[in-house]
mmCIF file with all atom_site columns, all heavy atoms in Angstrom:
data_model
loop_
_atom_site.group_PDB
_atom_site.id
_atom_site.type_symbol
_atom_site.label_atom_id
_atom_site.label_alt_id
_atom_site.label_comp_id
_atom_site.label_asym_id
_atom_site.label_entity_id
_atom_site.label_seq_id
_atom_site.pdbx_PDB_ins_code
_atom_site.Cartn_x
_atom_site.Cartn_y
_atom_site.Cartn_z
_atom_site.occupancy
_atom_site.B_iso_or_equiv
_atom_site.pdbx_formal_charge
_atom_site.auth_seq_id
_atom_site.auth_comp_id
_atom_site.auth_asym_id
_atom_site.auth_atom_id
_atom_site.pdbx_PDB_model_num
ATOM 1   N N   . VAL O 1 81  ? -23.195 41.094 -17.045 1.00 0.00 ? 81  VAL O N   1
ATOM 2   C CA  . VAL O 1 81  ? -23.724 40.484 -15.833 1.00 0.00 ? 81  VAL O CA  1
ATOM 3   C C   . VAL O 1 81  ? -24.890 39.537 -16.124 1.00 0.00 ? 81  VAL O C   1
ATOM 4   O O   . VAL O 1 81  ? -24.941 38.415 -15.603 1.00 0.00 ? 81  VAL O O   1
ATOM 5   C CB  . VAL O 1 81  ? -24.149 41.572 -14.825 1.00 0.00 ? 81  VAL O CB  1
ATOM 6   C CG1 . VAL O 1 81  ? -24.836 40.940 -13.618 1.00 0.00 ? 81  VAL O CG1 1
ATOM 7   C CG2 . VAL O 1 81  ? -22.937 42.380 -14.382 1.00 0.00 ? 81  VAL O CG2 1
ATOM 8   N N   . ALA O 1 135 ? -18.981 36.465 -5.784  1.00 0.00 ? 135 ALA O N   1
ATOM 9   C CA  . ALA O 1 135 ? -18.903 37.772 -5.120  1.00 0.00 ? 135 ALA O CA  1
ATOM 10  C C   . ALA O 1 135 ? -17.799 38.628 -5.751  1.00 0.00 ? 135 ALA O C   1
ATOM 11  O O   . ALA O 1 135 ? -17.983 39.842 -5.963  1.00 0.00 ? 135 ALA O O   1
ATOM 12  C CB  . ALA O 1 135 ? -18.652 37.593 -3.627  1.00 0.00 ? 135 ALA O CB  1
ATOM 13  N N   . ASP O 1 136 ? -16.659 38.022 -6.056  1.00 0.00 ? 136 ASP O N   1
ATOM 14  C CA  . ASP O 1 136 ? -15.563 38.769 -6.691  1.00 0.00 ? 136 ASP O CA  1
ATOM 15  C C   . ASP O 1 136 ? -15.990 39.274 -8.066  1.00 0.00 ? 136 ASP O C   1
ATOM 16  O O   . ASP O 1 136 ? -15.648 40.411 -8.458  1.00 0.00 ? 136 ASP O O   1
ATOM 17  C CB  . ASP O 1 136 ? -14.326 37.877 -6.829  1.00 0.00 ? 136 ASP O CB  1
ATOM 18  C CG  . ASP O 1 136 ? -13.659 37.586 -5.498  1.00 0.00 ? 136 ASP O CG  1
ATOM 19  O OD1 . ASP O 1 136 ? -13.927 38.316 -4.517  1.00 0.00 ? 136 ASP O OD1 1
ATOM 20  O OD2 . ASP O 1 136 ? -12.867 36.621 -5.438  1.00 0.00 ? 136 ASP O OD2 1
ATOM 21  N N   . TYR O 1 137 ? -16.717 38.447 -8.795  1.00 0.00 ? 137 TYR O N   1
ATOM 22  C CA  . TYR O 1 137 ? -17.205 38.877 -10.113 1.00 0.00 ? 137 TYR O CA  1
ATOM 23  C C   . TYR O 1 137 ? -18.162 40.062 -9.955  1.00 0.00 ? 137 TYR O C   1
ATOM 24  O O   . TYR O 1 137 ? -18.056 41.060 -10.680 1.00 0.00 ? 137 TYR O O   1
ATOM 25  C CB  . TYR O 1 137 ? -17.911 37.721 -10.816 1.00 0.00 ? 137 TYR O CB  1
ATOM 26  C CG  . TYR O 1 137 ? -18.647 38.164 -12.061 1.00 0.00 ? 137 TYR O CG  1
ATOM 27  C CD1 . TYR O 1 137 ? -17.981 38.310 -13.270 1.00 0.00 ? 137 TYR O CD1 1
ATOM 28  C CD2 . TYR O 1 137 ? -20.004 38.490 -12.010 1.00 0.00 ? 137 TYR O CD2 1
ATOM 29  C CE1 . TYR O 1 137 ? -18.643 38.751 -14.402 1.00 0.00 ? 137 TYR O CE1 1
ATOM 30  C CE2 . TYR O 1 137 ? -20.674 38.928 -13.139 1.00 0.00 ? 137 TYR O CE2 1
ATOM 31  C CZ  . TYR O 1 137 ? -19.991 39.055 -14.328 1.00 0.00 ? 137 TYR O CZ  1
ATOM 32  O OH  . TYR O 1 137 ? -20.657 39.510 -15.450 1.00 0.00 ? 137 TYR O OH  1
ATOM 33  N N   . LEU O 1 138 ? -19.088 39.961 -9.015  1.00 0.00 ? 138 LEU O N   1
ATOM 34  C CA  . LEU O 1 138 ? -20.043 41.047 -8.797  1.00 0.00 ? 138 LEU O CA  1
ATOM 35  C C   . LEU O 1 138 ? -19.323 42.333 -8.374  1.00 0.00 ? 138 LEU O C   1
ATOM 36  O O   . LEU O 1 138 ? -19.675 43.426 -8.833  1.00 0.00 ? 138 LEU O O   1
ATOM 37  C CB  . LEU O 1 138 ? -21.065 40.646 -7.728  1.00 0.00 ? 138 LEU O CB  1
ATOM 38  C CG  . LEU O 1 138 ? -21.988 39.475 -8.083  1.00 0.00 ? 138 LEU O CG  1
ATOM 39  C CD1 . LEU O 1 138 ? -22.838 39.094 -6.877  1.00 0.00 ? 138 LEU O CD1 1
ATOM 40  C CD2 . LEU O 1 138 ? -22.857 39.802 -9.289  1.00 0.00 ? 138 LEU O CD2 1
ATOM 41  N N   . GLN O 1 139 ? -18.325 42.195 -7.516  1.00 0.00 ? 139 GLN O N   1
ATOM 42  C CA  . GLN O 1 139 ? -17.581 43.362 -7.050  1.00 0.00 ? 139 GLN O CA  1
ATOM 43  C C   . GLN O 1 139 ? -16.937 44.098 -8.220  1.00 0.00 ? 139 GLN O C   1
ATOM 44  O O   . GLN O 1 139 ? -16.871 45.335 -8.233  1.00 0.00 ? 139 GLN O O   1
ATOM 45  C CB  . GLN O 1 139 ? -16.503 42.929 -6.053  1.00 0.00 ? 139 GLN O CB  1
ATOM 46  C CG  . GLN O 1 139 ? -15.754 44.087 -5.394  1.00 0.00 ? 139 GLN O CG  1
ATOM 47  C CD  . GLN O 1 139 ? -16.664 44.951 -4.543  1.00 0.00 ? 139 GLN O CD  1
ATOM 48  O OE1 . GLN O 1 139 ? -17.280 44.459 -3.594  1.00 0.00 ? 139 GLN O OE1 1
ATOM 49  N NE2 . GLN O 1 139 ? -16.763 46.231 -4.863  1.00 0.00 ? 139 GLN O NE2 1
ATOM 50  N N   . ALA O 1 140 ? -16.477 43.348 -9.218  1.00 0.00 ? 140 ALA O N   1
ATOM 51  C CA  . ALA O 1 140 ? -15.846 43.967 -10.383 1.00 0.00 ? 140 ALA O CA  1
ATOM 52  C C   . ALA O 1 140 ? -16.833 44.778 -11.209 1.00 0.00 ? 140 ALA O C   1
ATOM 53  O O   . ALA O 1 140 ? -16.425 45.607 -12.028 1.00 0.00 ? 140 ALA O O   1
ATOM 54  C CB  . ALA O 1 140 ? -15.197 42.884 -11.263 1.00 0.00 ? 140 ALA O CB  1
ATOM 55  N N   . HIS O 1 141 ? -18.134 44.557 -10.987 1.00 0.00 ? 141 HIS O N   1
ATOM 56  C CA  . HIS O 1 141 ? -19.157 45.270 -11.746 1.00 0.00 ? 141 HIS O CA  1
ATOM 57  C C   . HIS O 1 141 ? -19.887 46.328 -10.934 1.00 0.00 ? 141 HIS O C   1
ATOM 58  O O   . HIS O 1 141 ? -20.827 46.951 -11.439 1.00 0.00 ? 141 HIS O O   1
ATOM 59  C CB  . HIS O 1 141 ? -20.171 44.269 -12.330 1.00 0.00 ? 141 HIS O CB  1
ATOM 60  C CG  . HIS O 1 141 ? -19.646 43.530 -13.511 1.00 0.00 ? 141 HIS O CG  1
ATOM 61  N ND1 . HIS O 1 141 ? -19.856 43.928 -14.814 1.00 0.00 ? 141 HIS O ND1 1
ATOM 62  C CD2 . HIS O 1 141 ? -18.876 42.411 -13.583 1.00 0.00 ? 141 HIS O CD2 1
ATOM 63  C CE1 . HIS O 1 141 ? -19.243 43.095 -15.635 1.00 0.00 ? 141 HIS O CE1 1
ATOM 64  N NE2 . HIS O 1 141 ? -18.652 42.161 -14.914 1.00 0.00 ? 141 HIS O NE2 1
ATOM 65  N N   . VAL O 1 142 ? -19.462 46.520 -9.699  1.00 0.00 ? 142 VAL O N   1
ATOM 66  C CA  . VAL O 1 142 ? -20.090 47.560 -8.882  1.00 0.00 ? 142 VAL O CA  1
ATOM 67  C C   . VAL O 1 142 ? -19.651 48.923 -9.400  1.00 0.00 ? 142 VAL O C   1
ATOM 68  O O   . VAL O 1 142 ? -18.463 49.212 -9.516  1.00 0.00 ? 142 VAL O O   1
ATOM 69  C CB  . VAL O 1 142 ? -19.717 47.393 -7.395  1.00 0.00 ? 142 VAL O CB  1
ATOM 70  C CG1 . VAL O 1 142 ? -20.178 48.606 -6.590  1.00 0.00 ? 142 VAL O CG1 1
ATOM 71  C CG2 . VAL O 1 142 ? -20.331 46.124 -6.832  1.00 0.00 ? 142 VAL O CG2 1
ATOM 72  N N   . GLY O 1 143 ? -20.624 49.750 -9.742  1.00 0.00 ? 143 GLY O N   1
ATOM 73  C CA  . GLY O 1 143 ? -20.319 51.082 -10.261 1.00 0.00 ? 143 GLY O CA  1
ATOM 74  C C   . GLY O 1 143 ? -21.598 51.779 -10.673 1.00 0.00 ? 143 GLY O C   1
ATOM 75  O O   . GLY O 1 143 ? -22.653 51.141 -10.790 1.00 0.00 ? 143 GLY O O   1
ATOM 76  N N   . PRO O 1 144 ? -21.542 53.072 -10.915 1.00 0.00 ? 144 PRO O N   1
ATOM 77  C CA  . PRO O 1 144 ? -22.746 53.855 -11.217 1.00 0.00 ? 144 PRO O CA  1
ATOM 78  C C   . PRO O 1 144 ? -23.463 53.425 -12.491 1.00 0.00 ? 144 PRO O C   1
ATOM 79  O O   . PRO O 1 144 ? -24.661 53.679 -12.647 1.00 0.00 ? 144 PRO O O   1
ATOM 80  C CB  . PRO O 1 144 ? -22.212 55.284 -11.331 1.00 0.00 ? 144 PRO O CB  1
ATOM 81  C CG  . PRO O 1 144 ? -20.749 55.141 -11.617 1.00 0.00 ? 144 PRO O CG  1
ATOM 82  C CD  . PRO O 1 144 ? -20.327 53.904 -10.904 1.00 0.00 ? 144 PRO O CD  1
ATOM 83  N N   . ASP O 1 145 ? -22.764 52.761 -13.401 1.00 0.00 ? 145 ASP O N   1
ATOM 84  C CA  . ASP O 1 145 ? -23.386 52.345 -14.664 1.00 0.00 ? 145 ASP O CA  1
ATOM 85  C C   . ASP O 1 145 ? -23.620 50.836 -14.745 1.00 0.00 ? 145 ASP O C   1
ATOM 86  O O   . ASP O 1 145 ? -23.935 50.307 -15.814 1.00 0.00 ? 145 ASP O O   1
ATOM 87  C CB  . ASP O 1 145 ? -22.515 52.788 -15.847 1.00 0.00 ? 145 ASP O CB  1
ATOM 88  C CG  . ASP O 1 145 ? -22.356 54.292 -15.918 1.00 0.00 ? 145 ASP O CG  1
ATOM 89  O OD1 . ASP O 1 145 ? -23.358 54.987 -15.660 1.00 0.00 ? 145 ASP O OD1 1
ATOM 90  O OD2 . ASP O 1 145 ? -21.245 54.756 -16.208 1.00 0.00 ? 145 ASP O OD2 1
ATOM 91  N N   . ASP O 1 146 ? -23.482 50.143 -13.603 1.00 0.00 ? 146 ASP O N   1
ATOM 92  C CA  . ASP O 1 146 ? -23.618 48.687 -13.643 1.00 0.00 ? 146 ASP O CA  1
ATOM 93  C C   . ASP O 1 146 ? -24.411 48.182 -12.437 1.00 0.00 ? 146 ASP O C   1
ATOM 94  O O   . ASP O 1 146 ? -25.630 48.166 -12.466 1.00 0.00 ? 146 ASP O O   1
ATOM 95  C CB  . ASP O 1 146 ? -22.229 48.044 -13.701 1.00 0.00 ? 146 ASP O CB  1
ATOM 96  C CG  . ASP O 1 146 ? -22.249 46.701 -14.424 1.00 0.00 ? 146 ASP O CG  1
ATOM 97  O OD1 . ASP O 1 146 ? -23.330 46.106 -14.531 1.00 0.00 ? 146 ASP O OD1 1
ATOM 98  O OD2 . ASP O 1 146 ? -21.180 46.254 -14.872 1.00 0.00 ? 146 ASP O OD2 1
ATOM 99  N N   . LEU O 1 147 ? -23.742 47.794 -11.350 1.00 0.00 ? 147 LEU O N   1
ATOM 100 C CA  . LEU O 1 147 ? -24.418 47.249 -10.179 1.00 0.00 ? 147 LEU O CA  1
ATOM 101 C C   . LEU O 1 147 ? -24.233 48.141 -8.960  1.00 0.00 ? 147 LEU O C   1
ATOM 102 O O   . LEU O 1 147 ? -23.189 48.785 -8.800  1.00 0.00 ? 147 LEU O O   1
ATOM 103 C CB  . LEU O 1 147 ? -23.890 45.844 -9.853  1.00 0.00 ? 147 LEU O CB  1
ATOM 104 C CG  . LEU O 1 147 ? -24.071 44.764 -10.925 1.00 0.00 ? 147 LEU O CG  1
ATOM 105 C CD1 . LEU O 1 147 ? -23.414 43.468 -10.466 1.00 0.00 ? 147 LEU O CD1 1
ATOM 106 C CD2 . LEU O 1 147 ? -25.544 44.539 -11.243 1.00 0.00 ? 147 LEU O CD2 1
ATOM 107 N N   . ALA O 1 148 ? -25.246 48.162 -8.109  1.00 0.00 ? 148 ALA O N   1
ATOM 108 C CA  . ALA O 1 148 ? -25.167 48.894 -6.842  1.00 0.00 ? 148 ALA O CA  1
ATOM 109 C C   . ALA O 1 148 ? -25.346 47.875 -5.716  1.00 0.00 ? 148 ALA O C   1
ATOM 110 O O   . ALA O 1 148 ? -26.464 47.527 -5.350  1.00 0.00 ? 148 ALA O O   1
ATOM 111 C CB  . ALA O 1 148 ? -26.251 49.965 -6.776  1.00 0.00 ? 148 ALA O CB  1
ATOM 112 N N   . ILE O 1 149 ? -24.227 47.374 -5.200  1.00 0.00 ? 149 ILE O N   1
ATOM 113 C CA  . ILE O 1 149 ? -24.240 46.327 -4.173  1.00 0.00 ? 149 ILE O CA  1
ATOM 114 C C   . ILE O 1 149 ? -23.328 46.751 -3.030  1.00 0.00 ? 149 ILE O C   1
ATOM 115 O O   . ILE O 1 149 ? -22.153 47.053 -3.250  1.00 0.00 ? 149 ILE O O   1
ATOM 116 C CB  . ILE O 1 149 ? -23.766 44.976 -4.736  1.00 0.00 ? 149 ILE O CB  1
ATOM 117 C CG1 . ILE O 1 149 ? -24.626 44.557 -5.931  1.00 0.00 ? 149 ILE O CG1 1
ATOM 118 C CG2 . ILE O 1 149 ? -23.798 43.895 -3.659  1.00 0.00 ? 149 ILE O CG2 1
ATOM 119 C CD1 . ILE O 1 149 ? -24.158 43.264 -6.608  1.00 0.00 ? 149 ILE O CD1 1
ATOM 120 N N   . ASP O 1 150 ? -23.858 46.739 -1.806  1.00 0.00 ? 150 ASP O N   1
ATOM 121 C CA  . ASP O 1 150 ? -23.046 47.062 -0.635  1.00 0.00 ? 150 ASP O CA  1
ATOM 122 C C   . ASP O 1 150 ? -22.272 45.848 -0.128  1.00 0.00 ? 150 ASP O C   1
ATOM 123 O O   . ASP O 1 150 ? -21.147 45.974 0.350   1.00 0.00 ? 150 ASP O O   1
ATOM 124 C CB  . ASP O 1 150 ? -23.929 47.602 0.500   1.00 0.00 ? 150 ASP O CB  1
ATOM 125 C CG  . ASP O 1 150 ? -24.543 48.951 0.164   1.00 0.00 ? 150 ASP O CG  1
ATOM 126 O OD1 . ASP O 1 150 ? -23.899 49.719 -0.583  1.00 0.00 ? 150 ASP O OD1 1
ATOM 127 O OD2 . ASP O 1 150 ? -25.665 49.220 0.626   1.00 0.00 ? 150 ASP O OD2 1
ATOM 128 N N   . ASP O 1 151 ? -22.891 44.676 -0.191  1.00 0.00 ? 151 ASP O N   1
ATOM 129 C CA  . ASP O 1 151 ? -22.273 43.447 0.331   1.00 0.00 ? 151 ASP O CA  1
ATOM 130 C C   . ASP O 1 151 ? -22.344 42.380 -0.770  1.00 0.00 ? 151 ASP O C   1
ATOM 131 O O   . ASP O 1 151 ? -23.366 41.710 -0.933  1.00 0.00 ? 151 ASP O O   1
ATOM 132 C CB  . ASP O 1 151 ? -23.024 42.986 1.585   1.00 0.00 ? 151 ASP O CB  1
ATOM 133 C CG  . ASP O 1 151 ? -22.368 41.801 2.275   1.00 0.00 ? 151 ASP O CG  1
ATOM 134 O OD1 . ASP O 1 151 ? -21.628 41.064 1.604   1.00 0.00 ? 151 ASP O OD1 1
ATOM 135 O OD2 . ASP O 1 151 ? -22.616 41.604 3.488   1.00 0.00 ? 151 ASP O OD2 1
ATOM 136 N N   . CYS O 1 152 ? -21.255 42.223 -1.508  1.00 0.00 ? 152 CYS O N   1
ATOM 137 C CA  . CYS O 1 152 ? -21.265 41.300 -2.644  1.00 0.00 ? 152 CYS O CA  1
ATOM 138 C C   . CYS O 1 152 ? -21.326 39.843 -2.198  1.00 0.00 ? 152 CYS O C   1
ATOM 139 O O   . CYS O 1 152 ? -21.867 38.995 -2.918  1.00 0.00 ? 152 CYS O O   1
ATOM 140 C CB  . CYS O 1 152 ? -20.037 41.534 -3.526  1.00 0.00 ? 152 CYS O CB  1
ATOM 141 S SG  . CYS O 1 152 ? -20.123 43.077 -4.487  1.00 0.00 ? 152 CYS O SG  1
ATOM 142 N N   . ALA O 1 201 ? -27.783 49.215 -10.918 1.00 0.00 ? 201 ALA O N   1
ATOM 143 C CA  . ALA O 1 201 ? -27.615 50.621 -10.540 1.00 0.00 ? 201 ALA O CA  1
ATOM 144 C C   . ALA O 1 201 ? -28.718 51.452 -11.181 1.00 0.00 ? 201 ALA O C   1
ATOM 145 O O   . ALA O 1 201 ? -29.024 51.297 -12.359 1.00 0.00 ? 201 ALA O O   1
ATOM 146 C CB  . ALA O 1 201 ? -26.246 51.123 -10.980 1.00 0.00 ? 201 ALA O CB  1
#
Side-chain angles (χ1 to χ4, degrees):
V81 174
D136 289 342
Y137 170 83
L138 295 174
Q139 186 64 59
H141 284 266
V142 171
D145 299 320
D146 209 340
L147 299 177
I149 303 176
D150 293 329
D151 186 337
C152 288

